[in-house]
Amino acid sequence: MGSPVREFNVAVVGATGVVGTEFFKILGQRQFPLARVRALASERSAGLEVECAGQRIPVETLDENAFAGVDIALFSAGAEVSRHFAPLAARAGALVIDNSSAWRMEDGVPLVVPEVNPKDIPRRAHGIIANPNCCTIPLTVALNAIRDGVGIERVTVATYQSASGAGSALVQELAAQTRSIAAGEDPKSSSYPYQLAYNVVPGGWPMEEGGYNEEEMKLVLETRKILHEPQLRIVATCVRVPVPICHGEAVFLETGRSLSAAEARARWDSAPGIVVQDDPAQQIYPTPVGVAGKDDVYVGRIRNDPSTPNGLAFWLVSDNLRKGAALNAIQIAEEAIRMGAI
Amino acid sequence: MGSPVREFNVAVVGATGVVGTEFFKILGQRQFPLARVRALASERSAGLEVECAGQRIPVETLDENAFAGVDIALFSAGAEVSRHFAPLAARAGALVIDNSSAWRMEDGVPLVVPEVNPKDIPRRAHGIIANPNCCTIPLTVALNAIRDGVGIERVTVATYQSASGAGSALVQELAAQTRSIAAGEDPKSSSYPYQLAYNVVPGGWPMEEGGYNEEEMKLVLETRKILHEPQLRIVATCVRVPVPICHGEAVFLETGRSLSAAEARARWDSAPGIVVQDDPAQQIYPTPVGVAGKDDVYVGRIRNDPSTPNGLAFWLVSDNLRKGAALNAIQIAEEAIRMGAI
């Protein structure tokens, strides 16, 4: 592919969005084997600069010729942009890692969480690898770490999702509403159907079939694909909460055989990518404020659920911009490099 | 008991708390058959006044002789105060309706939601009637309206509970933290173990057995008692969210026979005390901001849960200070009056 053996030309598409910003931050923090990094965005962002590993990088306008010489293209500019430009980048020789929902459920496109299904990365990585939804990633990390020899029969999830999962507009709207409330004024909503500050909103996503919205169906379908359990019984209610960063999930599991809370805790304790924070008598459990900026999936409130045979209840929190998006995508690239697949 | 036939002397214990304030507001709004209303609180509140039905009422210090001539005593001053003073008020001849957790699970003490188990009010009401937990009340209203001929096999709940459920100190702390965030300063926590603004907290309650906290066990045990289903399989994860008023609940049911979402919706539509707000394609569903100050339990996001036979998922929001506390207590008193039990 004309790339140097040990260093890679990386392009970030959607360079000025909340996840794009996180891509540059993480590439710098992890000392990724970078040759050159490029920032691509729509014309609206022309003239801006971003920062990566201490360097200022001009934002270039995304067009069909932008991918010449690019080894790895990290996309996070929405499904429409990915549908059009990801195949072009792949055809130009780049390994595309796409954070949008455009390609996730496409047959033949791997949907990867490196702790869970690294083997789904092709031996010779090319084309498009999809990065899962920001609630799906931490859930599959947690489920995968305890299912060996036990099995997952059913998963029930209620989410507590932060504003940044919807992009920077909602983060700014939440901040503006917070200032209004502090000033004793009425908070105004513009991009979002409800006031988010001082509120929780069980929706905001487009509806699909059966009364479930797009976000809930992503959690269901992507979890099945990543775990290679196409019949997994799983249901979700997705709720937006007035938090800037980090998604929480209240999870109720039915496992295939009895799994004590202590055994689950021990499995999570030794699993890569998971931190157990679980001493509720001392009021120790993960919260979004505590987990923001962290790489791992944080698990707590682990206890057996006596309302069903083999029931296990727990709570998790994960940084939706890092493990839920940019970090997982970069970890996919790192795994492909480690495998010698690129 | 020396009370007039049609009007009643009412005392509010905990007159200056968030629920106490709501008692006076609702007594005025509902044109309760009031003879005289008295405001009782600890010595800390001596010298204050409260307002009820347009009248200023001086706050009197609660002591053991405070209940002479009181027909109905509405308690919301915490479990300790109720344990000591509720029996004294009952002995002085008052019907005590107690919003604390002190007497709820006591054998022989009725635990009442008027839409659900009005028959648990004794024919000749005396002594103590307990008012349930603020998450339990709306949940039992919703479950009761659909269980006839169907049955409830299992209930899984994740809550989104507002700051006022913990009292005025946490409401003030949330407001102060909101002002700090708006000013770009670090929010400070004092009464609560975590920052609540811009955060969600799966705890804050004392722990009980098996990894469940007090709030989660209240939901389990009180729901069983109110529904007269001592073996009901029910599990909860309780989470505090940065909202001043109204609790949300994501509920997953397993019913005894198949119940379509349409049939559940029809049952809820015709049930007293419930409003259905459910057109998610138009982004219509209940939220705390929309329900604050309302009397009814609001239900939405009603759909079948295909992950289990006879599964039904829904979302509810209820004003925790009104239906979750003061309103339900006053409705108990009204029902006792209507029955001629007092």
Side-chain angles (χ1 to χ4, degrees):
Chain A
M1 298 198 286
S3 61
V5 181
R6 308 292 312 271
E7 294 191 325
F8 300 86
N9 291 327
V10 174
V12 171
V13 179
T16 58
V18 282
V19 175
T21 306
E22 209 68 27
F23 274 134
F24 294 114
K25 201 194 295 180
I26 296 171
L27 286 169
Q29 288 169 337
R30 292 176 77 85
Q31 305 173 299
F32 191 92
L34 275 178
R36 186 180 164 209
V37 62
R38 290 171 55 200
L40 301 171
S42 72
E43 278 184 352
R44 278 200 318 271
S45 298
L48 297 177
E49 287 189 327
V50 297
E51 197 187 305
C52 184
Q55 297 202 310
R56 307 295 300 173
I57 298 160
V59 177
E60 304 169 60
T61 299
L62 173 65
D63 66 28
E64 310 198 345
N65 304 311
F67 299 97
V70 170
D71 302 305
I72 299 168
L74 303 169
F75 273 69
S76 192
E80 281 307 310
V81 169
S82 289
R83 258 189 288 272
H84 183 69
F85 285 98
L88 296 174
R91 214 170 301 144
L95 171 65
V96 174
I97 303 174
D98 180 27
N99 188 52
S100 85
S101 62
W103 299 96
R104 290 176 189 158
M105 295 310 299
E106 194 82 3
D107 276 347
V109 173
L111 181 66
V112 176
V113 179
E115 293 90 337
V116 180
N117 60 337
K119 291 181 179 162
D120 286 346
I121 300 173
R123 290 251 183 114
R124 182 142 188 83
H126 64 284
I128 301 169
I129 297 176
N131 199 48
N133 168 271
C134 44
C135 282
T136 308
I137 292 171
L139 180 65
T140 57
V141 169
L143 295 181
N144 184 63
I146 57 165
R147 68 174 165 156
D148 245 23
V150 173
I152 307 290
E153 292 292 322
R154 183 174 173 229
V155 186
T156 303
V157 187
T159 71
Y160 301 69
Q161 295 183 231
S162 70
S164 57
S168 58
L170 189 55
V171 175
Q172 288 161 23
E173 192 159 318
L174 173 61
Q177 291 174 351
T178 299
R179 288 190 296 271
S180 295
I181 288 169
E185 295 158 6
D186 261 357
K188 291 195 175 43
S189 302
S190 52
S191 75
Y192 196 64
Y194 286 89
Q195 173 186 328
L196 183 58
Y198 272 17
N199 206 11
V200 300
V201 180
W205 296 278
M207 289 303 290
E208 300 198 343
E209 293 302 296
Y212 290 86
N213 61 42
E214 192 181 87
E215 188 78 355
E216 290 159 353
M217 290 315 298
K218 285 177 184 172
L219 243 178
V220 167
L221 300 174
E222 295 180 18
T223 298
R224 288 175 180 159
K225 179 169 176 173
I226 295 162
L227 296 178
H228 294 277
E229 301 201 21
Q231 305 300 325
L232 182 68
R233 296 157 57 206
I234 169 168
V235 64
T237 295
C238 289
V239 180
R240 191 74 70 188
V241 295
V243 166
I245 296 175
C246 284
H247 293 351
E249 302 181 32
V251 187
F252 303 88
L253 286 188
E254 296 170 46
T255 52
R257 71 155 172 85
S258 174
L259 179 73
S260 73
E263 191 180 347
R265 192 178 289 110
R267 286 181 180 217
W268 278 321
D269 252 331
S270 62
I274 294 181
V275 171
V276 173
Q277 258 184 2
D278 191 27
D279 188 359
Q282 304 302 317
Q283 302 300 339
I284 291 172
Y285 31 70
T287 73
V289 163
V291 173
K294 302 286 205 303
D295 285 350
D296 292 305
V297 176
Y298 283 67
V299 175
R301 297 298 322 277
I302 305 162
R303 71 266 193 215
N304 285 100
D305 168 5
S307 78
T308 191
N310 307 335
L312 184 77
F314 65 100
W315 164 257
L316 69 79
V317 178
S318 163
D319 185 324
N320 58 297
L321 300 179
R322 294 180 75 91
K323 186 58 185 171
L327 173 66
N328 194 73
I330 289 169
Q331 288 171 323
I332 292 172
E334 291 172 341
E335 181 65 18
I337 293 168
R338 202 194 56 73
M339 290 164 58
I342 181 175
Chain B
M1 297 197 287
S3 61
V5 181
R6 308 290 311 269
E7 293 192 324
F8 300 87
N9 290 327
V10 174
V12 171
V13 178
T16 57
V18 283
V19 176
T21 305
E22 209 68 26
F23 273 135
F24 294 114
K25 201 194 294 181
I26 296 172
L27 285 170
Q29 289 169 337
R30 292 175 78 84
Q31 305 174 299
F32 191 92
L34 275 178
R36 185 178 164 210
V37 63
R38 289 171 56 198
L40 301 172
S42 72
E43 278 184 353
R44 277 200 319 270
S45 299
L48 297 177
E49 286 189 330
V50 297
E51 198 188 304
C52 184
Q55 297 202 308
R56 308 295 300 171
I57 297 160
V59 177
E60 303 169 61
T61 299
L62 173 65
D63 67 30
E64 311 198 344
N65 303 312
F67 299 98
V70 170
D71 301 305
I72 299 168
L74 303 169
F75 273 70
S76 192
E80 281 307 310
V81 169
S82 289
R83 257 188 288 273
H84 182 68
F85 286 97
L88 297 174
R91 214 170 302 147
L95 171 65
V96 174
I97 303 174
D98 181 27
N99 189 52
S100 85
S101 63
W103 298 96
R104 291 177 188 156
M105 294 310 298
E106 194 81 3
D107 276 347
V109 173
L111 181 66
V112 175
V113 179
E115 293 90 339
V116 180
N117 60 338
K119 291 181 180 162
D120 286 346
I121 300 173
R123 289 249 182 116
R124 180 142 190 85
H126 64 282
I128 301 168
I129 296 177
N131 198 48
N133 168 272
C134 44
C135 282
T136 308
I137 292 172
L139 181 65
T140 57
V141 169
L143 296 182
N144 184 62
I146 58 165
R147 68 174 165 155
D148 244 23
V150 173
I152 306 291
E153 292 292 323
R154 184 174 173 229
V155 186
T156 303
V157 187
T159 71
Y160 302 68
Q161 297 183 230
S162 70
S164 57
S168 58
L170 189 55
V171 175
Q172 288 162 21
E173 191 158 319
L174 172 61
Q177 291 174 351
T178 299
R179 289 191 296 271
S180 294
I181 288 169
E185 295 159 5
D186 262 357
K188 292 197 174 45
S189 303
S190 52
S191 75
Y192 197 64
Y194 286 88
Q195 174 186 328
L196 182 58
Y198 272 16
N199 206 11
V200 298
V201 181
W205 295 278
M207 290 304 289
E208 299 199 345
E209 293 302 296
Y212 290 87
N213 61 42
E214 193 180 88
E215 188 78 355
E216 290 160 354
M217 291 315 298
K218 285 177 185 173
L219 244 178
V220 167
L221 299 175
E222 295 180 20
T223 297
R224 289 176 179 159
K225 179 169 177 174
I226 295 162
L227 296 178
H228 294 278
E229 300 201 22
Q231 306 300 323
L232 182 70
R233 296 156 58 205
I234 169 168
V235 64
T237 295
C238 289
V239 180
R240 191 75 69 187
V241 295
V243 166
I245 297 176
C246 283
H247 294 351
E249 302 180 32
V251 187
F252 303 88
L253 286 188
E254 296 169 47
T255 52
R257 71 156 173 85
S258 174
L259 178 73
S260 73
E263 191 180 347
R265 192 178 290 110
R267 287 181 180 218
W268 279 320
D269 252 330
S270 62
I274 294 182
V275 171
V276 173
Q277 257 184 5
D278 191 29
D279 187 359
Q282 303 302 317
Q283 303 299 338
I284 291 172
Y285 32 70
T287 73
V289 164
V291 174
K294 302 286 205 303
D295 284 349
D296 292 305
V297 176
Y298 283 67
V299 174
R301 298 297 323 277
I302 304 162
R303 70 267 193 215
N304 284 101
D305 167 6
S307 78
T308 191
N310 308 335
L312 184 77
F314 66 99
W315 164 257
L316 69 79
V317 178
S318 163
D319 185 324
N320 58 297
L321 300 179
R322 294 180 75 90
K323 187 58 186 170
L327 174 65
N328 194 73
I330 289 170
Q331 288 171 324
I332 292 172
E334 290 172 341
E335 181 66 18
I337 293 168
R338 201 195 58 74
M339 289 165 59
I342 181 175

